[in-house]
Amino acid sequence: MRRPQLFENRDFTLLWSGEALSELGSQTSTVAYPLLVLALTGSPAKAGIVGLAKWLPLALFSLPAGVLADRLNRKHLMIGCDAVRLLGAASIVVALLAGEPAYAQVVVVAFLDGGLSVTSYIAERGALRQVVAAGQLSDAVAANEARVYAAGIVGPSLGGVMFAAARSLPFAADAVSFLGSTVAIIATRSRFQKLREPAGAPSSQLLGETMEGFGWLRAQPFYRTTALLFAAGNPVFTGMTLLAILLARHQHASAALIGLMLTLVSVGGLLGAALAGPLRRHVSVHALIAGEPWVALAVVLLLLVVHAPLLIGVLVGVAEFGAPATNSVVSGSRVAAAPDHLQGRVQAAASMLSMSLAWLGPLAVGYLFERAGASGTILAVAAWTLVLAVAATCAPSIRHHAPDGATASSAGAR
Protein backbone atom coordinates (compact mmCIF):
# COMPACT_ATOMS: atom_id res chain seq x y z
CA MET A 1 0.00 0.00 0.00
CA ARG A 2 1.32 3.44 -0.95
CA ARG A 3 2.42 5.55 1.99
CA PRO A 4 0.46 8.85 2.11
CA GLN A 5 2.56 11.88 1.27
CA LEU A 6 3.01 14.61 3.84
CA PHE A 7 0.92 17.22 2.02
CA GLU A 8 -1.92 14.75 1.46
CA ASN A 9 -2.54 15.23 5.18
CA ARG A 10 -5.32 17.85 5.26
CA ASP A 11 -4.62 19.16 8.74
CA PHE A 12 -0.87 19.41 8.22
CA THR A 13 -1.47 21.27 4.96
CA LEU A 14 -3.83 23.71 6.68
CA LEU A 15 -1.46 24.22 9.60
CA TRP A 16 1.53 24.61 7.32
CA SER A 17 -0.29 27.00 4.97
CA GLY A 18 -1.60 29.20 7.76
CA GLU A 19 1.81 29.48 9.39
CA ALA A 20 3.40 30.07 5.97
CA LEU A 21 1.03 33.02 5.45
CA SER A 22 1.89 34.33 8.90
CA GLU A 23 5.58 33.93 8.16
CA LEU A 24 5.19 35.80 4.87
CA GLY A 25 3.64 38.72 6.74
CA SER A 26 6.38 38.60 9.36
CA GLN A 27 9.05 38.66 6.65
CA THR A 28 7.56 41.79 5.12
CA SER A 29 7.82 43.53 8.50
CA THR A 30 11.24 42.06 9.37
CA VAL A 31 12.95 44.37 6.90
CA ALA A 32 10.63 47.21 7.92
CA TYR A 33 11.53 47.23 11.64
CA PRO A 34 15.21 48.24 11.27
CA LEU A 35 14.43 50.52 8.33
CA LEU A 36 11.74 52.28 10.35
CA VAL A 37 14.03 52.75 13.36
CA LEU A 38 16.87 54.01 11.17
CA ALA A 39 14.43 56.43 9.50
CA LEU A 40 13.09 57.64 12.87
CA THR A 41 16.38 57.85 14.79
CA GLY A 42 19.32 57.34 12.39
CA SER A 43 20.97 55.14 15.04
CA PRO A 44 22.32 51.61 14.33
CA ALA A 45 22.49 51.05 18.10
CA LYS A 46 18.76 51.77 18.47
CA ALA A 47 18.05 49.42 15.57
CA GLY A 48 20.02 46.83 17.52
CA ILE A 49 17.88 47.47 20.60
CA VAL A 50 14.76 46.69 18.56
CA GLY A 51 16.50 43.48 17.51
CA LEU A 52 17.12 42.77 21.19
CA ALA A 53 13.42 43.36 21.91
CA LYS A 54 12.49 40.93 19.15
CA TRP A 55 14.83 38.12 20.20
CA LEU A 56 15.07 38.40 24.00
CA PRO A 57 11.52 37.06 24.59
CA LEU A 58 12.51 33.80 22.91
CA ALA A 59 14.68 33.12 25.94
CA LEU A 60 12.40 34.70 28.55
CA PHE A 61 9.10 33.19 27.41
CA SER A 62 10.16 29.72 26.27
CA LEU A 63 9.73 27.98 29.64
CA PRO A 64 6.30 29.39 30.55
CA ALA A 65 5.25 28.86 26.93
CA GLY A 66 6.18 25.17 27.24
CA VAL A 67 4.03 24.75 30.37
CA LEU A 68 1.13 26.53 28.64
CA ALA A 69 1.52 24.35 25.55
CA ASP A 70 1.25 21.20 27.68
CA ARG A 71 -1.51 22.39 30.04
CA LEU A 72 -3.78 24.38 27.72
CA ASN A 73 -5.43 23.59 24.41
CA ARG A 74 -2.56 24.10 21.97
CA LYS A 75 -4.90 25.10 19.16
CA HIS A 76 -6.59 27.80 21.25
CA LEU A 77 -3.18 29.00 22.44
CA MET A 78 -1.93 29.47 18.87
CA ILE A 79 -5.11 31.35 17.92
CA GLY A 80 -4.72 33.68 20.90
CA CYS A 81 -1.09 34.41 20.01
CA ASP A 82 -2.04 35.33 16.45
CA ALA A 83 -4.82 37.63 17.67
CA VAL A 84 -2.51 39.64 19.94
CA ARG A 85 0.23 39.83 17.30
CA LEU A 86 -2.38 41.14 14.84
CA LEU A 87 -3.29 43.93 17.26
CA GLY A 88 0.37 44.81 17.76
CA ALA A 89 1.08 45.14 14.04
CA ALA A 90 -2.14 47.11 13.56
CA SER A 91 -1.08 49.57 16.29
CA ILE A 92 2.05 50.43 14.27
CA VAL A 93 -0.11 50.99 11.19
CA VAL A 94 -2.45 53.32 13.10
CA ALA A 95 0.47 55.26 14.59
CA LEU A 96 2.12 55.70 11.19
CA LEU A 97 -1.12 56.83 9.56
CA ALA A 98 -1.66 59.29 12.40
CA GLY A 99 1.86 60.69 12.20
CA GLU A 100 4.91 58.99 13.66
CA PRO A 101 5.10 56.11 16.19
CA ALA A 102 7.10 56.57 19.34
CA TYR A 103 10.33 54.61 19.43
CA ALA A 104 9.14 52.95 22.66
CA GLN A 105 6.02 51.68 20.89
CA VAL A 106 8.12 49.98 18.21
CA VAL A 107 10.23 48.33 20.92
CA VAL A 108 7.16 47.11 22.85
CA VAL A 109 5.44 45.69 19.74
CA ALA A 110 8.64 43.92 18.71
CA PHE A 111 8.95 42.47 22.22
CA LEU A 112 5.37 41.17 22.26
CA ASP A 113 5.75 39.77 18.76
CA GLY A 114 8.86 37.86 19.76
CA GLY A 115 7.28 36.42 22.91
CA LEU A 116 4.05 35.34 21.24
CA SER A 117 5.97 33.98 18.25
CA VAL A 118 7.95 31.56 20.42
CA THR A 119 4.77 30.54 22.29
CA SER A 120 3.02 29.71 19.03
CA TYR A 121 6.13 27.93 17.72
CA ILE A 122 6.39 25.70 20.79
CA ALA A 123 2.67 24.86 20.68
CA GLU A 124 2.90 23.96 16.99
CA ARG A 125 6.05 21.88 17.42
CA GLY A 126 4.36 19.97 20.25
CA ALA A 127 1.28 19.40 18.07
CA LEU A 128 3.21 17.93 15.15
CA ARG A 129 3.25 14.39 16.53
CA GLN A 130 -0.57 14.42 16.66
CA VAL A 131 -0.92 15.83 13.15
CA VAL A 132 1.60 13.75 11.15
CA ALA A 133 2.81 10.15 11.26
CA ALA A 134 5.87 9.40 13.39
CA GLY A 135 7.98 8.46 10.36
CA GLN A 136 7.29 11.85 8.76
CA LEU A 137 8.33 14.08 11.66
CA SER A 138 11.73 15.05 10.26
CA ASP A 139 10.13 15.74 6.87
CA ALA A 140 7.48 17.87 8.60
CA VAL A 141 10.16 19.86 10.43
CA ALA A 142 12.07 20.32 7.16
CA ALA A 143 8.83 21.47 5.47
CA ASN A 144 8.34 23.99 8.25
CA GLU A 145 11.90 25.22 7.70
CA ALA A 146 11.16 25.47 3.97
CA ARG A 147 8.12 27.67 4.53
CA VAL A 148 10.25 30.12 6.54
CA TYR A 149 12.75 30.46 3.72
CA ALA A 150 10.07 30.43 1.00
CA ALA A 151 8.34 33.32 2.75
CA GLY A 152 11.76 34.93 3.08
CA ILE A 153 12.19 34.89 -0.70
CA VAL A 154 9.06 36.97 -1.29
CA GLY A 155 8.66 38.81 2.02
CA PRO A 156 11.77 41.01 2.30
CA SER A 157 11.58 42.26 -1.29
CA LEU A 158 7.86 42.87 -0.90
CA GLY A 159 8.48 44.56 2.45
CA GLY A 160 11.18 46.79 0.99
CA VAL A 161 8.95 47.88 -1.89
CA MET A 162 6.03 48.41 0.48
CA PHE A 163 8.16 50.44 2.88
CA ALA A 164 9.38 52.62 0.01
CA ALA A 165 5.75 53.22 -1.04
CA ALA A 166 4.38 53.77 2.48
CA ARG A 167 5.97 52.95 5.82
CA SER A 168 2.74 51.45 7.16
CA LEU A 169 2.21 48.88 4.37
CA PRO A 170 4.58 46.11 5.62
CA PHE A 171 2.96 46.20 9.07
CA ALA A 172 -0.53 46.14 7.53
CA ALA A 173 0.44 43.04 5.54
CA ASP A 174 1.72 41.45 8.75
CA ALA A 175 -1.61 42.10 10.50
CA VAL A 176 -3.60 40.58 7.62
CA SER A 177 -1.35 37.51 7.61
CA PHE A 178 -2.15 36.79 11.27
CA LEU A 179 -5.85 36.83 10.42
CA GLY A 180 -5.27 34.26 7.66
CA SER A 181 -3.25 32.06 9.99
CA THR A 182 -6.03 32.13 12.59
CA VAL A 183 -8.62 31.01 10.03
CA ALA A 184 -6.41 28.11 8.90
CA ILE A 185 -5.83 26.86 12.46
CA ILE A 186 -9.56 27.01 13.23
CA ALA A 187 -10.23 24.90 10.12
CA THR A 188 -8.04 21.97 11.31
CA ARG A 189 -9.83 18.93 12.75
CA SER A 190 -7.03 17.24 14.68
CA ARG A 191 -6.57 17.56 18.41
CA PHE A 192 -3.18 19.10 19.01
CA GLN A 193 -2.45 16.88 22.02
CA LYS A 194 -3.51 13.48 23.31
CA LEU A 195 -4.76 14.53 26.71
CA ARG A 196 -5.49 17.95 28.08
CA GLU A 197 -3.73 18.64 31.37
CA PRO A 198 -5.91 19.90 34.23
CA ALA A 199 -6.29 23.66 33.95
CA GLY A 200 -5.57 24.38 37.58
CA ALA A 201 -2.57 23.07 39.46
CA PRO A 202 -1.04 24.36 42.67
CA SER A 203 1.53 27.06 41.96
CA SER A 204 4.07 24.97 43.89
CA GLN A 205 3.87 22.38 41.13
CA LEU A 206 4.45 24.82 38.28
CA LEU A 207 8.19 25.16 38.84
CA GLY A 208 8.57 21.39 38.97
CA GLU A 209 6.54 21.01 35.78
CA THR A 210 8.59 23.72 34.09
CA MET A 211 11.86 21.98 34.97
CA GLU A 212 10.72 18.55 33.72
CA GLY A 213 11.69 19.50 30.18
CA PHE A 214 15.20 20.41 31.36
CA GLY A 215 15.39 17.13 33.25
CA TRP A 216 14.63 15.15 30.12
CA LEU A 217 17.04 17.25 28.06
CA ARG A 218 19.83 16.95 30.63
CA ALA A 219 19.64 13.15 30.39
CA GLN A 220 20.13 13.24 26.59
CA PRO A 221 23.77 14.19 25.78
CA PHE A 222 23.18 14.85 22.10
CA TYR A 223 20.15 17.11 22.52
CA ARG A 224 21.69 18.90 25.49
CA THR A 225 24.89 19.68 23.60
CA THR A 226 23.17 20.75 20.38
CA ALA A 227 20.96 23.15 22.37
CA LEU A 228 24.08 24.75 23.88
CA LEU A 229 25.82 24.94 20.51
CA PHE A 230 22.75 26.52 18.95
CA ALA A 231 22.73 29.01 21.85
CA ALA A 232 26.27 30.07 20.96
CA GLY A 233 25.54 30.08 17.22
CA ASN A 234 22.27 31.98 17.08
CA PRO A 235 23.83 35.39 17.87
CA VAL A 236 25.93 34.94 14.73
CA PHE A 237 22.88 34.45 12.53
CA THR A 238 20.61 37.01 14.19
CA GLY A 239 23.44 39.52 14.15
CA MET A 240 24.40 38.73 10.57
CA THR A 241 21.01 39.88 9.28
CA LEU A 242 21.34 43.30 10.91
CA LEU A 243 24.98 43.46 9.83
CA ALA A 244 23.93 42.89 6.21
CA ILE A 245 21.33 45.67 6.46
CA LEU A 246 23.81 48.10 8.03
CA LEU A 247 26.49 47.30 5.44
CA ALA A 248 23.97 47.86 2.63
CA ARG A 249 22.78 51.14 4.20
CA HIS A 250 26.46 52.16 4.49
CA GLN A 251 26.59 51.76 0.69
CA HIS A 252 23.44 53.95 0.40
CA ALA A 253 21.25 51.05 -0.76
CA SER A 254 17.53 51.74 -1.12
CA ALA A 255 14.86 49.97 0.95
CA ALA A 256 13.82 47.96 -2.11
CA LEU A 257 17.41 46.84 -2.77
CA ILE A 258 17.84 45.82 0.88
CA GLY A 259 14.64 43.80 0.61
CA LEU A 260 16.01 42.05 -2.48
CA MET A 261 19.27 41.39 -0.64
CA LEU A 262 17.38 39.65 2.19
CA THR A 263 15.44 37.68 -0.41
CA LEU A 264 18.73 36.22 -1.63
CA VAL A 265 19.50 35.22 1.96
CA SER A 266 16.26 33.27 2.07
CA VAL A 267 16.99 31.62 -1.29
CA GLY A 268 20.01 30.01 0.35
CA GLY A 269 17.88 28.77 3.22
CA LEU A 270 15.17 27.48 0.88
CA LEU A 271 17.70 25.53 -1.17
CA GLY A 272 19.00 24.07 2.08
CA ALA A 273 15.47 23.06 3.10
CA ALA A 274 14.83 21.47 -0.30
CA LEU A 275 18.02 19.44 0.00
CA ALA A 276 17.64 18.67 3.72
CA GLY A 277 16.48 15.10 3.03
CA PRO A 278 19.40 14.13 0.77
CA LEU A 279 21.85 15.88 3.10
CA ARG A 280 20.53 13.90 6.08
CA ARG A 281 20.91 10.65 4.14
CA HIS A 282 24.40 11.27 2.73
CA VAL A 283 26.16 13.46 5.28
CA SER A 284 26.85 12.40 8.85
CA VAL A 285 25.06 14.24 11.64
CA HIS A 286 28.43 15.32 13.08
CA ALA A 287 29.51 16.76 9.72
CA LEU A 288 26.23 18.66 9.33
CA ILE A 289 26.41 20.24 12.77
CA ALA A 290 30.15 20.98 12.72
CA GLY A 291 30.20 22.19 9.12
CA GLU A 292 27.60 24.91 9.60
CA PRO A 293 29.74 27.29 11.74
CA TRP A 294 32.82 26.78 9.54
CA VAL A 295 30.82 27.90 6.51
CA ALA A 296 29.48 30.86 8.51
CA LEU A 297 33.03 31.84 9.47
CA ALA A 298 34.11 31.91 5.83
CA VAL A 299 31.09 34.04 4.94
CA VAL A 300 31.73 36.56 7.74
CA LEU A 301 35.37 37.00 6.70
CA LEU A 302 34.37 37.55 3.07
CA LEU A 303 32.19 40.46 4.19
CA LEU A 304 35.46 42.35 4.78
CA VAL A 305 36.01 42.56 1.03
CA VAL A 306 32.49 42.24 -0.44
CA HIS A 307 30.51 45.48 -0.44
CA ALA A 308 27.79 45.11 -3.10
CA PRO A 309 24.43 44.53 -1.33
CA LEU A 310 23.32 41.72 -3.64
CA LEU A 311 26.61 39.86 -3.18
CA ILE A 312 26.24 40.29 0.57
CA GLY A 313 22.81 38.67 0.26
CA VAL A 314 24.29 35.73 -1.66
CA LEU A 315 27.01 35.23 0.95
CA VAL A 316 24.65 35.29 3.92
CA GLY A 317 22.39 32.91 1.98
CA VAL A 318 25.30 30.47 1.77
CA ALA A 319 25.64 30.69 5.56
CA GLU A 320 21.94 29.86 5.92
CA PHE A 321 22.12 26.85 3.57
CA GLY A 322 22.96 24.20 6.20
CA ALA A 323 20.51 25.34 8.91
CA PRO A 324 17.39 23.48 7.66
CA ALA A 325 19.14 20.10 7.50
CA THR A 326 20.71 20.60 10.91
CA ASN A 327 17.44 21.73 12.46
CA SER A 328 15.42 18.91 10.91
CA VAL A 329 17.86 16.28 12.23
CA VAL A 330 17.92 17.68 15.76
CA SER A 331 14.32 18.83 16.13
CA GLY A 332 12.70 15.95 14.26
CA SER A 333 14.46 13.24 16.25
CA ARG A 334 13.86 15.16 19.51
CA VAL A 335 10.11 15.44 18.83
CA ALA A 336 9.99 11.71 18.17
CA ALA A 337 11.98 10.85 21.28
CA ALA A 338 10.16 13.00 23.85
CA PRO A 339 6.95 11.62 25.45
CA ASP A 340 3.75 13.40 24.40
CA HIS A 341 2.93 14.77 27.86
CA LEU A 342 6.35 16.48 27.90
CA GLN A 343 6.40 17.71 24.29
CA GLY A 344 5.78 21.36 25.12
CA ARG A 345 8.20 21.45 28.04
CA VAL A 346 10.97 19.60 26.16
CA GLN A 347 10.65 21.89 23.14
CA ALA A 348 10.49 24.88 25.51
CA ALA A 349 13.64 23.82 27.35
CA ALA A 350 15.47 23.26 24.07
CA SER A 351 14.20 26.55 22.62
CA MET A 352 15.06 28.45 25.78
CA LEU A 353 18.63 27.16 25.70
CA SER A 354 18.99 27.52 21.94
CA MET A 355 17.64 31.06 21.83
CA SER A 356 19.05 32.27 25.16
CA LEU A 357 21.71 34.42 23.46
CA ALA A 358 19.96 35.21 20.16
CA TRP A 359 19.23 38.76 21.42
CA LEU A 360 22.96 39.39 21.78
CA GLY A 361 23.59 39.29 18.02
CA PRO A 362 21.68 42.39 16.85
CA LEU A 363 22.48 44.29 20.06
CA ALA A 364 26.22 43.68 19.73
CA VAL A 365 26.27 44.30 15.98
CA GLY A 366 24.33 47.57 16.30
CA TYR A 367 26.54 48.83 19.13
CA LEU A 368 29.83 47.76 17.50
CA PHE A 369 28.88 49.13 14.10
CA GLU A 370 28.20 52.54 15.65
CA ARG A 371 31.40 52.49 17.76
CA ALA A 372 33.95 50.39 15.82
CA GLY A 373 32.73 50.60 12.24
CA ALA A 374 32.11 47.86 9.71
CA SER A 375 35.51 46.11 9.82
CA GLY A 376 35.69 46.00 13.62
CA THR A 377 32.18 44.53 13.78
CA ILE A 378 32.97 41.87 11.17
CA LEU A 379 36.16 40.80 12.94
CA ALA A 380 34.35 40.52 16.28
CA VAL A 381 31.64 38.31 14.74
CA ALA A 382 34.34 36.21 13.03
CA ALA A 383 36.17 35.61 16.32
CA TRP A 384 32.97 34.40 18.00
CA THR A 385 32.19 32.13 15.03
CA LEU A 386 35.67 30.59 15.11
CA VAL A 387 35.24 29.57 18.75
CA LEU A 388 31.85 28.07 17.92
CA ALA A 389 33.23 26.10 14.97
CA VAL A 390 36.02 24.58 17.04
CA ALA A 391 33.58 23.64 19.83
CA ALA A 392 31.13 21.99 17.40
CA THR A 393 33.92 20.01 15.75
CA CYS A 394 35.36 18.71 19.02
CA ALA A 395 32.19 18.09 21.08
CA PRO A 396 32.18 14.40 22.18
CA SER A 397 28.37 14.33 22.49
CA ILE A 398 28.01 15.22 18.81
CA ARG A 399 30.68 12.78 17.67
CA HIS A 400 29.54 9.79 19.76
CA HIS A 401 25.86 10.28 20.74
CA ALA A 402 24.26 11.63 17.56
CA PRO A 403 21.30 9.64 16.15
CA ASP A 404 22.37 7.33 13.35
CA GLY A 405 21.42 7.98 9.76
CA ALA A 406 18.23 5.93 9.86
CA THR A 407 17.01 7.54 13.04
CA ALA A 408 17.83 11.05 11.83
CA SER A 409 16.08 10.49 8.50
CA SER A 410 12.90 8.86 9.74
CA ALA A 411 12.75 10.18 13.29
CA GLY A 412 10.58 7.24 14.29
CA ALA A 413 9.14 7.26 17.76
CA ARG A 414 11.29 5.73 20.46
Side-chain angles (χ1 to χ4, degrees):
M1 181 180 296
R2 185 179 70 89
R3 179 182 177 181
Q5 297 298 306
L6 186 62
F7 282 96
E8 292 176 0
N9 181 325
R10 174 187 177 276
D11 280 357
F12 177 76
T13 301
L14 277 170
L15 184 61
W16 187 93
S17 300
E19 295 306 298
L21 181 61
S22 173
E23 186 62 35
L24 177 60
S26 295
Q27 290 287 349
T28 63
S29 64
T30 292
V31 67
Y33 272 110
L35 291 177
L36 178 61
V37 173
L38 289 171
L40 293 175
T41 69
S43 170
K46 287 188 174 180
I49 290 172
V50 171
L52 163 69
K54 181 84 168 179
W55 290 103
L56 182 59
L58 274 68
L60 296 181
F61 293 173
S62 289
L63 293 182
V67 174
L68 290 175
D70 284 340
R71 294 176 58 81
L72 302 181
N73 185 303
R74 290 171 185 158
K75 185 180 296 187
H76 294 169
L77 184 60
M78 292 178 68
I79 291 170
C81 289
D82 278 350
V84 178
R85 294 171 77 190
L86 186 159
L87 293 175
S91 76
I92 298 289
V93 175
V94 171
L96 283 168
L97 293 178
E100 188 174 281
Y103 173 67
Q105 179 187 355
V106 179
V107 173
V108 169
V109 171
F111 183 84
L112 286 175
D113 186 60
L116 295 169
S117 173
V118 72
T119 303
S120 183
Y121 166 83
I122 287 171
E124 184 200 14
R125 187 58 59 88
L128 272 184
R129 202 162 77 169
Q130 306 308 314
V131 177
V132 305
Q136 293 180 322
L137 282 171
S138 278
D139 289 337
V141 172
N144 287 353
E145 295 283 328
R147 81 182 176 211
V148 174
Y149 291 109
I153 288 177
V154 180
S157 290
L158 185 60
V161 171
M162 285 181 172
F163 188 86
R167 292 177 180 177
S168 63
L169 283 180
F171 301 100
D174 200 14
V176 171
S177 74
F178 290 131
L179 177 62
S181 173
T182 299
V183 172
I185 294 170
I186 291 173
T188 60
R189 298 169 183 164
S190 299
R191 291 179 62 95
F192 283 9
Q193 63 255 77
K194 284 183 179 179
L195 295 173
R196 184 174 177 179
E197 294 286 337
S203 59
S204 60
Q205 294 181 11
L206 294 179
L207 179 60
E209 288 188 10
T210 300
M211 299 307 293
E212 283 186 70
F214 279 109
W216 186 91
L217 203 63
R218 188 170 57 248
Q220 312 290 328
F222 174 72
Y223 300 119
R224 181 184 67 237
T225 303
T226 51
L228 293 173
L229 285 173
F230 290 172
N234 275 321
V236 174
F237 291 95
T238 58
M240 202 182 299
T241 300
L242 180 59
L243 178 59
I245 293 172
L246 293 175
L247 289 172
R249 269 300 196 202
H250 193 63
Q251 297 298 321
H252 308 290
S254 66
L257 183 59
I258 289 174
L260 181 57
M261 175 188 72
L262 295 182
T263 290
L264 293 175
V265 174
S266 293
V267 168
L270 182 62
L271 289 174
L275 296 174
L279 284 173
R280 291 197 311 266
R281 289 189 290 271
H282 295 100
V283 180
S284 72
V285 175
H286 177 254
L288 281 175
I289 294 172
E292 189 177 350
W294 285 112
V295 172
L297 175 61
V299 165
V300 172
L301 291 174
L302 284 171
L303 292 178
L304 287 169
V305 295
V306 173
H307 304 296
L310 295 185
L311 288 180
I312 291 173
V314 170
L315 282 175
V316 180
V318 170
E320 292 280 359
F321 177 82
T326 302
N327 290 342
S328 66
V329 165
V330 175
S331 298
S333 59
R334 188 179 61 229
V335 168
D340 183 72
H341 72 282
L342 287 178
Q343 279 291 324
R345 279 162 283 182
V346 168
Q347 307 317 316
S351 295
M352 186 269 179
L353 286 175
S354 297
M355 304 307 298
S356 59
L357 296 177
W359 57 269
L360 180 60
L363 182 65
V365 165
Y367 180 84
L368 286 170
F369 202 94
E370 193 163 295
R371 299 295 191 276
S375 296
T377 305
I378 291 169
L379 290 174
V381 174
W384 183 288
T385 310
L386 175 61
V387 173
L388 173 68
V390 172
T393 303
C394 299
S397 297
I398 305 298
R399 299 174 63 186
H400 304 303
H401 295 280
D404 59 32
T407 302
S409 296
S410 66
R414 289 189 286 166

